[in-house]
Amino acid sequence: MKRPLGAQLSHMLRDRGVDVIFGIPGVHNQELYRGIEEAGITHILARHEQGAGFMADGYARATGTPGVAYVITGPGLCNIMTPMGQAYSDSVPMLVLSSCLDETQEYRGQLHQMKDQQAAAGTVADWSAQANTALAAYGLVERAFEEFELNRPRPKHIQVPITKLEADADPAPFPNQSALRTKAQPPDVAPVVSLLNLAKRPLFILGGGCRSNEWRQILTQLGAACFTTYAGRGMAGVNYPLDFGAMLPRPGSADVIASADLVVAVGAELGEVDLWRRELGHKATLIRVDLDPEVLSDHHRAAVKIQADSASFARVLWAVTEDAKPATGWTAEEVAEARARWRAEVDAERPGIVPVIDALRAAMPADTMIYSDMTQFAYVAKEVWDMAYPHHWHHPTGFGTLGYALPAGIGGAIGRRGKPTAVIAGDYGFHYTMQELGVAVELGLPLPIILWDNGKLKEIEDSMVRGQIAPNAVVARNPDFCKLAEAFGARSAAPSTLDALQDAVRAAFEADGPTLIYITPDIL
């Protein structure tokens, strides 16, 4: 039956598996809301469009399915552009649908008017497009979902003029069979196998693009050592004896990489925020496996390049090397010695945080999914906190935006109801999106929110001191965070010992709503 296009779009999204939409309604996009309940979709009302975008991001990371957000013309879209930029840099599938004005050139002074809304969104999205007909809107949605499956997942933006959203339209076409991604085949990995057969010290670098569970078995049967990027933590599981961990940013990792006689990087961008240096440090042959041609052609100049999804590559590699004789060039002792040395470096750079992290990790279930913010606590944890499962720690690594953790954690908790989810934030970053605490209270999410308060922008202060700049504008007056949480209707705790911290975390997972757990460096 005919319905306004806004309603038809909600039905179309439901037909493609969308069951949650994040957003804020307004007079310009209210037609999108006409069909949400009828389509059987749950809408999560954020307190700010930035929160809605981060929730969609967190939901997508938790579920592996696209996060969807509805926003209004102009300021609504501008507010969600920061999350879109984060999703772009971290390869997160997100679909943002917004309204737009019908005409902006001749008629000025309209509500929410921008000079070029579509172009603005295009600076932080994979693409931004305007649909001037119902068929165009349906086609763009279809294209977005196909690309989420086939290409490197990144955010898309579709805008529809207000009058088009209001106009009656025929239903969207029913979903076709999705296109099938090209899978790696044994001939594709033959060059890799040949080089592995000759290698005595093969080294794998596993990134966030790895989407398979076979890597521990592969590494074991090859006798290979590995590093992971921050986003790739957990790919080798816990206690794999040849796992150097997420220590690529340590300067000494370049020496280890230089000692390998074959380096294989899978699903890893190897950008600045992975290495904190420009060069990887390899001297041997470098093999790159990635979906993105831009990654394959970057300045690291891989000798062997395979464009393939990591899951099919892993399955084929596992099968064709099943009878391989493991390499013997690496020893568990050298790996353990390097990791201990680097852990001591991390502890010396930001003293006093490692023991708190160890206590926190011991109190959390192994399958906890963690969302962290831009804070020194997270910077330390990303290097020393070993993950038992892959894709269970999410951080705004690339774009590096403050305020990510709380709303993204809310989105993640919505996507994995019944499973443990936690948030780690710093005092300053929490200010950016703390209003979204109301959403977690409304939904009754058992969400521990670890708030690390060192009373300042400590990372920036330290950087200023290193640059011989007198620290300036690094201290802001904080509220009583516990009272703030209670004002929203959340629980709070302010443990003064590590044992009390662990008790508070365990209780938070059993609560019927969020708990803000306030800690300072004095906890030691």
Side-chain angles (χ1 to χ4, degrees):
M1 56 182 278
K2 283 184 176 291
R3 297 185 184 90
L5 175 57
Q8 299 286 27
L9 285 170
S10 291
H11 282 270
M12 182 182 191
L13 292 172
R14 187 68 186 92
D15 288 342
R16 282 147 186 81
V18 175
D19 53 13
V20 177
I21 290 174
F22 304 88
I24 300 177
V27 294
H28 277 191
N29 72 341
Q30 63 188 18
E31 284 297 335
L32 288 167
Y33 285 76
R34 186 185 294 277
I36 286 183
E37 291 185 2
E38 184 185 54
I41 294 175
T42 298
H43 181 268
I44 305 299
L45 176 62
R47 301 303 188 260
H48 188 283
E49 287 91 356
Q50 186 179 56
F54 286 142
M55 288 178 201
D57 173 298
Y59 179 88
R61 298 193 200 211
T63 64
T65 60
V68 180
Y70 283 173
V71 297
I72 62 165
T73 316
L77 182 66
C78 287
N79 287 340
I80 204 172
M81 283 173 61
T82 294
M84 290 168 68
Q86 190 62 62
Y88 183 89
S89 65
D90 285 356
S91 303
V92 178
M94 181 193 298
L95 178 60
V96 175
L97 285 95
S98 77
S99 54
C100 66
L101 296 171
D102 294 278
E103 197 283 320
T104 59
Q105 297 303 310
E106 185 273 333
Y107 186 26
R108 297 293 183 176
Q110 300 176 75
L111 178 66
H112 303 328
Q113 188 166 20
M114 291 179 65
K115 289 176 64 178
D116 195 335
Q117 177 177 294
Q118 179 183 340
T123 63
V124 289
D126 190 19
W127 47 259
S128 173
Q130 178 167 323
N132 290 319
T133 66
L135 288 178
Y138 300 153
L140 288 169
V141 171
E142 198 72 47
R143 173 187 168 192
F145 277 81
E146 289 283 5
E147 291 182 8
F148 288 143
E149 286 293 322
L150 297 176
N151 300 337
R152 183 174 180 174
R154 278 175 159 161
K156 330 286 185 183
H157 167 244
I158 301 171
Q159 63 182 32
V160 185
I162 298 166
T163 57
K164 301 300 181 183
L165 289 174
E166 296 170 344
D168 282 349
D170 291 322
F174 197 73
N176 288 327
Q177 171 66 43
S178 297
L180 299 178
R181 178 182 288 175
T182 301
K183 304 295 184 182
Q185 301 296 328
D188 301 322
V189 304
V192 182
V193 175
S194 297
L195 291 167
L196 284 168
N197 288 336
L198 299 173
K200 293 182 172 56
R201 286 171 65 88
L203 177 69
F204 281 72
I205 300 175
L206 306 177
C210 289
R211 295 285 170 181
S212 54
N213 298 317
E214 296 93 353
W215 282 109
R216 188 183 184 100
Q217 294 93 325
I218 293 170
L219 295 168
T220 300
Q221 68 189 24
L222 292 174
C226 73
F227 281 93
T228 66
T229 65
Y230 293 144
R233 281 185 299 158
M235 293 308 307
V238 293
N239 300 321
Y240 176 62
L242 300 182
D243 179 16
F244 285 100
M247 294 291 190
L248 283 171
R250 296 290 104 199
S253 71
D255 295 330
V256 172
I257 294 168
S259 75
D261 56 6
L262 180 65
V263 180
V264 185
V266 184
E269 193 171 44
L270 301 182
E272 180 188 54
V273 294
D274 294 318
L275 305 173
W276 291 112
R277 59 180 183 268
R278 180 170 174 81
E279 303 302 332
L280 180 61
H282 63 289
K283 295 181 179 178
T285 298
L286 173 62
I287 299 171
R288 300 293 294 273
V289 181
D290 207 281
L291 276 177
D292 191 345
E294 184 178 346
V295 170
L296 296 175
S297 61
D298 69 10
H299 68 281
H300 295 299
R301 299 187 62 80
V304 178
K305 307 171 187 179
I306 300 174
Q307 186 182 20
D309 71 285
S310 62
S312 65
F313 173 81
R315 284 192 292 270
V316 173
L317 185 63
W318 186 18
V320 300
T321 60
E322 187 175 8
D323 298 323
K325 185 177 180 180
T328 57
W330 299 102
T331 67
E333 292 74 20
E334 70 174 304
V335 175
E337 188 278 330
R339 291 196 59 157
R341 182 174 69 253
W342 293 333
R343 179 184 168 93
E345 289 178 7
V346 172
D347 192 25
E349 289 171 359
R350 300 183 178 96
I353 298 178
V354 168
V356 185
I357 287 170
D358 290 342
L360 191 59
R361 181 173 182 264
M364 289 192 181
D367 63 339
T368 301
M369 186 168 285
I370 299 171
Y371 292 82
S372 61
D373 218 312
M374 300 294 285
T375 172
Q376 284 191 332
F377 195 95
Y379 305 155
V380 174
K382 289 190 301 175
E383 293 195 76
V384 303
W385 187 317
D386 288 332
M387 301 299 294
Y389 299 94
H391 306 296
H392 272 58
W393 189 299
H394 304 293
H395 185 80
T397 301
F399 209 40
T401 175
L402 284 161
Y404 170 81
L406 176 60
I410 291 170
I414 292 168
R416 60 195 317 263
R417 291 267 193 175
K419 298 179 181 179
T421 304
V423 166
I424 295 174
D427 58 305
Y428 199 82
F430 192 69
H431 278 271
Y432 276 52
T433 51
M434 60 188 177
Q435 69 274 6
E436 305 302 342
L437 188 58
V439 179
V441 172
E442 283 180 353
L443 299 176
L445 300 176
L447 187 67
I449 302 163
I450 315 302
L451 182 60
W452 174 256
D453 184 2
N454 55 18
K456 59 181 66 177
L457 287 161
K458 188 66 169 63
E459 188 73 6
I460 309 308
E461 181 184 67
D462 291 347
S463 180
M464 285 181 166
V465 171
R466 288 193 299 270
Q468 298 183 332
I469 301 169
N472 189 13
V474 294
V475 178
R477 181 181 177 86
N478 282 332
D480 184 321
F481 285 111
C482 290
K483 288 182 179 179
L484 178 73
E486 292 164 7
F488 274 105
R491 292 169 174 78
S492 71
S496 57
T497 67
L498 295 182
D499 287 342
L501 169 63
Q502 292 179 321
D503 291 341
V505 169
R506 295 186 185 103
F509 281 120
E510 300 299 324
D512 59 359
T515 304
L516 187 140
I517 302 173
Y518 176 81
I519 56 175
T520 72
D522 294 335
I523 195 170
L524 294 175

